[in-house]
């Protein structure tokens, strides 16, 4: 098959990939879909989508992810959070995987990670599956054909699902492995067809490299005001907090929905596409994302569909609740053409507090922002597991611990310093419960959340009267336009104020216990925020 442009001095063979039967370089979407179907990897769906299944792995395998223990990174990797792999084991893994792919067909995409040319990373993605090549072509940023002729990869990712690792031989845990060598600038992925491993391996690399360029890597969504790319808001939040829903405001321009950098000149998307959950997706609630599920080239992953009509079932989670679709960012009508904006004016940290303690919005100092960023709090609701009768706290530092190669306080300090330097306003927004914990209270009204966010982003909330929260020490507005004033004081929404006080004391203790691990590494300003929550 004819291929498109590739740097003649940078073929796979020049990189040491010898004995490969055929290499397809930088195929475009129609050719990749054609190859995927010809090879039996998926089926053609409505509108020209590609319908695929990832087998037993329907999500990431964080316990099978490793960083190679090399001298150059020994003192900078957060080893408590990143499993080490010995350099000699990685050498054996690499040799075995290169031997395994001999005689195979491989697909190559040469792509950029980062919309800012001053900070982007040249990534070569080498995949065994054709549809993985389409997926990553959507998710990263696509060079012009003229740029491909001189493209030099800085990192290479080799993804070979048919390769099964040997834990004893390769120093890993199971037959599934994701191993990153920062010295060799190489990622090896084996034993999993889940496409998200491709995307998140690149994010992990960016999370390690960007701080050395004074760029804050962020697991967040971002948007800006229409006609004003300098009015940027970023949204941090774990699953279930409303990050995608609240950032996808049709009245603002979407910079991106998952991974961004904050440099001295502004905000930029690491990616060129979206990887959206589709469970219970509806045309009424999220019409733009829903529309991509019949768009030519969209990858539909792990969804149940009618064998005859190929109509998707958005409610059937028999394969997985983590069903997804992948598409380029330009499929969203209000997406930014440049995927860039100015310095963030507002930082939104989203949490879903099922304990019913936190107010719907609070303003944070830089020290408090670092405290809550390092905490990364949200909560699981009661009743989801046998024996669970009350909410369970979840703390994921930096709102994305699995992708953080460096110690969390390194990222937290960057965020604190950038907020202080540029005067960004930081808000903690609770989309969880009010009037009681889960099972007794009610979910925070989305109308109130949107009204408070609008007031925060247009600057009007900054002029409100504030009170100091007695539990966490942050400022909470006393009133806001179109919002019931009682909602802004969670204690007043509980039928039994004493029960609220007991619940608040319990949550504060959970925060303090979790934060103890960071106390030796943070400054007095952050400790002041922590002490108020103690």
């Amino acid at each position: 098959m004819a291929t498109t442009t590739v740097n003649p001095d940078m073929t796979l063979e020049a990189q040491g990939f010898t004995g490969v039967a055929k290499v397809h370089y930088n195929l475009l979407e129609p050719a990749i879909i054609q190859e995927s179907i010809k090879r039996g990897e998926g089926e053609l769906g409505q509108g020209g989508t590609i319908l695929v299944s990832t087998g037993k792995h329907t999500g990431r395998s964080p316990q099978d992810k490793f960083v190679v223990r090399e001298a150059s990174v020994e003192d900078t990797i957060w080893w408590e959070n990143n499993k080490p792999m010995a350099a000699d084991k990685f050498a054996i893994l690499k040799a075995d995987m290169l031997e395994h792919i001999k005689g195979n067909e491989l697909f190559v995409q040469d792509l950029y990670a980062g919309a800012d040319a001053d900070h982007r990373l040249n990534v070569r993605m080498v995949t065994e599956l054709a549809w993985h090549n389409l997926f990553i072509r959507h998710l990263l940023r696509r060079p012009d054909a003229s740029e491909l002729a001189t493209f030099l990869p800085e990192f290479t990712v080799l993804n070979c699902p048919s390769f099964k690792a040997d834990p004893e031989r390769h120093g890993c845990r199971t037959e599934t492995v994701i191993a990153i060598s920062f010295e060799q600038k190489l990622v090896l992925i084996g034993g999993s067809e889940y496409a998200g491993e491709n995307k998140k391996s690149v994010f992990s690399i960016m999370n390690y490299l960007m701080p050395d360029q004074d760029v804050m890597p962020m697991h967040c969504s971002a948007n800006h005001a229409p006609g004003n790319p300098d009015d940027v808001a970023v949204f941090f939040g774990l699953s279930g907090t409303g990050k995608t829903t609240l950032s996808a405001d049709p009245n603002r321009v979407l910079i991106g929905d998952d991974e961004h950098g904050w440099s001295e000149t502004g905000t930029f998307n690491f990616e060129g596409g979206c990887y959206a959950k589709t469970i219970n997706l509806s045309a009424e609630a999220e019409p733009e994302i829903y529309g991509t599920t019949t768009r030519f080239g969209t990858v539909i992953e792990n969804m149940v569909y009618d064998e005859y009509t190929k109509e998707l079932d958005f409610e059937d989670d028999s394969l997985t609740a983590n069903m997804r679709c992948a598409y380029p960012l330009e499929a969203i009508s209000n997406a930014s053409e440049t995927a860039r904006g100015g310095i963030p004016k507002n930082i939104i940290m989203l949490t879903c507090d099922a304990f019913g303690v936190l107010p719907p919005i609070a303003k944070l100092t830089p020290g408090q922002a670092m405290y809550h960023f390092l905490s990364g709090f949200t909560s699981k609701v009661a009743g989801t597991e046998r024996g669970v009768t009350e909410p369970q706290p979840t703390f994921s530092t930096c709102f994305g611990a699995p992708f953080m190669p460096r110690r969390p306080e390194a990222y937290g300090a960057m965020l604190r310093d950038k907020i202080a330097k540029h005067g960004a306003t930081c808000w903690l927004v609770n989309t969880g419960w009010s009037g009681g914990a889960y099972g007794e209270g009610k979910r925070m009204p989305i109308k109130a959340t949107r009204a408070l966010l609008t007031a925060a982003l247009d600057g009007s909330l900054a002029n409100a009267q504030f009170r100091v929260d007695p539990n966490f020490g942050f400022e909470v507005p006393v009133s806001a336009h179109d919002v019931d004033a009682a909602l802004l004081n969670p204690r007043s929404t509980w039928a039994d104020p004493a029960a609220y006080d007991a619940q608040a004391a319990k949550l504060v203790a959970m925060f303090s216990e979790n934060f103890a691990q960071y106390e030796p590494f943070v400054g007095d300003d952050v400790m002041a925020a922590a002490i108020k929550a103690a």
Side-chain angles (χ1 to χ4, degrees):
M1 175 178 288
T3 62
T4 52
T5 308
V6 65
N7 184 341
D9 297 323
M10 196 49 63
T11 63
L12 280 190
E13 190 170 20
Q15 288 186 277
F17 292 67
T18 59
V20 178
K22 183 183 287 188
V23 182
H24 303 276
Y25 293 97
N26 297 310
L27 295 182
L28 302 181
E29 289 80 356
I32 306 177
I33 292 174
Q34 186 177 16
E35 283 291 324
S36 300
I37 293 171
K38 183 178 75 174
R39 292 156 56 91
E41 296 176 0
E43 295 189 44
L44 191 66
Q46 291 187 1
T49 59
I50 179 78
L51 309 171
V52 298
S53 171
T54 63
K56 68 176 183 178
H57 289 282
T58 58
R60 291 180 299 102
S61 300
Q63 298 304 312
D64 295 309
K65 182 181 176 183
F66 298 84
V67 174
V68 181
R69 198 150 205 163
E70 297 159 319
S72 61
V73 301
E74 176 64 35
D75 297 332
T76 49
I77 296 294
W78 181 22
W79 294 114
E80 295 87 347
N81 187 60
N82 293 270
K83 292 181 173 61
M85 175 178 282
D88 60 336
K89 294 293 187 180
F90 183 80
I92 296 170
L93 176 66
K94 177 182 175 182
D96 288 352
M97 195 172 285
L98 291 179
E99 183 65 28
H100 178 83
I101 64 175
K102 287 183 177 179
N104 290 7
E105 273 186 86
L106 294 176
F107 297 82
V108 172
Q109 286 288 327
D110 291 324
L111 301 160
Y112 297 136
D116 185 338
D118 290 335
H119 301 291
R120 71 188 180 197
L121 182 72
N122 292 6
V123 178
R124 168 163 283 184
M125 188 69 61
V126 184
T127 66
E128 181 181 37
L129 295 175
W131 78 263
H132 273 195
N133 227 236
L134 179 61
F135 170 90
I136 203 64
R137 182 172 171 80
H138 289 335
L139 266 294
L140 292 184
R141 305 192 65 79
R142 300 161 288 284
D144 295 333
S146 61
E147 297 174 299
L148 292 172
T150 56
F151 187 95
L152 294 173
E154 297 171 86
F155 267 79
T156 297
V157 180
L158 172 60
N159 190 326
C160 189
S162 68
F163 179 86
K164 308 302 181 187
D166 180 335
E168 183 174 352
R169 179 174 172 80
H170 300 129
C172 52
R173 189 181 71 100
T174 67
E175 64 180 19
T176 299
V177 64
I178 305 99
I180 303 175
S181 168
F182 285 101
E183 284 192 1
Q184 298 189 41
K185 298 184 177 181
L186 178 65
V187 181
L188 300 176
I189 304 174
S192 174
E193 294 185 28
Y194 180 66
E197 300 289 10
N198 298 297
K199 161 188 159 72
K200 289 305 184 185
S201 66
V202 176
F203 187 42
S204 296
I205 293 167
M206 295 293 279
N207 280 335
Y208 184 76
L209 298 179
M210 288 297 100
D212 285 341
Q213 300 179 32
D214 197 25
V215 174
M216 168 73 188
M218 303 180 292
H219 188 211
C220 70
S221 55
N223 62 28
H224 69 73
N228 187 3
D230 289 330
D231 185 357
V232 170
V234 299
F235 298 76
F236 292 100
L238 298 168
S239 180
T241 59
K243 176 170 63 105
T244 299
T245 299
L246 294 171
S247 65
D249 184 340
N251 297 314
R252 291 177 66 87
V253 177
L254 181 67
I255 298 173
D257 79 335
D258 199 42
E259 302 170 5
H260 295 82
W262 178 354
S263 73
E264 281 303 292
T265 58
T267 310
F268 63 98
N269 194 349
F270 287 168
E271 299 186 307
C274 302
Y275 190 33
K277 287 186 177 182
T278 55
I279 187 168
N280 298 323
L281 190 67
S282 72
E284 293 75 25
E286 295 180 281
E288 296 256 21
I289 298 175
Y290 187 88
T292 69
T293 62
T294 54
R295 180 187 187 275
F296 178 80
T298 294
V299 176
I300 306 293
E301 186 181 81
N302 294 324
M303 287 193 69
V304 175
Y305 56 89
D306 186 278
E307 288 293 334
Y308 179 65
T309 66
K310 307 302 186 224
E311 183 176 350
L312 301 172
D313 189 331
F314 293 90
E315 298 180 359
D316 189 336
D317 62 356
S318 57
L319 291 178
T320 177
N322 193 35
M323 58 181 78
R324 291 179 179 263
C325 65
Y327 51 88
L329 198 61
E330 59 261 28
I332 303 300
S333 63
N334 68 324
S336 165
E337 292 183 3
T338 64
R340 298 180 64 181
I343 300 292
K345 289 182 63 177
N346 287 279
I347 311 293
I348 313 298
M349 296 184 186
L350 297 165
T351 183
C352 177
D353 173 24
F355 296 85
V357 170
L358 294 175
I361 196 166
K363 188 165 66 171
L364 307 179
T365 65
Q368 290 169 339
M370 183 174 174
Y371 177 80
H372 286 277
F373 184 69
L374 290 176
S375 297
F377 167 73
T378 193
S379 49
K380 297 177 183 177
V381 296
T384 55
E385 299 176 15
R386 181 176 297 178
V388 176
T389 58
E390 59 183 29
Q392 300 291 328
T394 298
F395 295 93
S396 182
T397 189
C398 306
F399 297 96
F403 323 117
M404 301 298 164
R406 297 176 183 265
R407 283 204 56 87
E409 56 269 13
Y411 304 106
M414 287 193 78
L415 181 69
R416 176 199 60 199
D417 293 346
K418 285 185 178 291
I419 290 173
K421 178 178 180 179
H422 297 289
T425 304
C426 190
W427 306 90
L428 182 70
V429 173
N430 173 27
T431 61
W433 271 257
S434 180
Y438 173 82
E440 297 180 6
K442 295 182 179 180
R443 192 72 188 259
M444 200 72 69
I446 186 66
K447 182 179 178 181
T449 301
R450 289 191 184 279
L452 289 167
L453 272 176
T454 297
L457 298 187
D458 69 18
S460 61
L461 193 61
N463 299 319
Q465 179 185 352
F466 287 84
R467 64 176 178 85
V468 175
D469 182 87
N471 299 302
F472 287 90
F474 42 51
E475 292 188 325
V476 181
V478 175
S479 62
H481 182 64
D482 285 339
V483 177
D484 183 356
L487 198 65
L488 294 166
N489 185 356
R491 190 174 188 269
S492 71
T493 65
W494 282 55
D496 181 357
Y500 170 86
D501 293 339
Q503 188 81 321
K506 183 189 299 185
L507 183 60
V508 164
M510 292 175 185
F511 265 84
S512 297
E513 181 181 359
N514 172 74
F515 199 78
Q517 62 187 303
Y518 306 121
E519 290 182 1
F521 307 104
V522 300
D524 293 342
D525 58 337
V526 182
M527 284 308 301
I531 290 167
K532 290 177 182 176

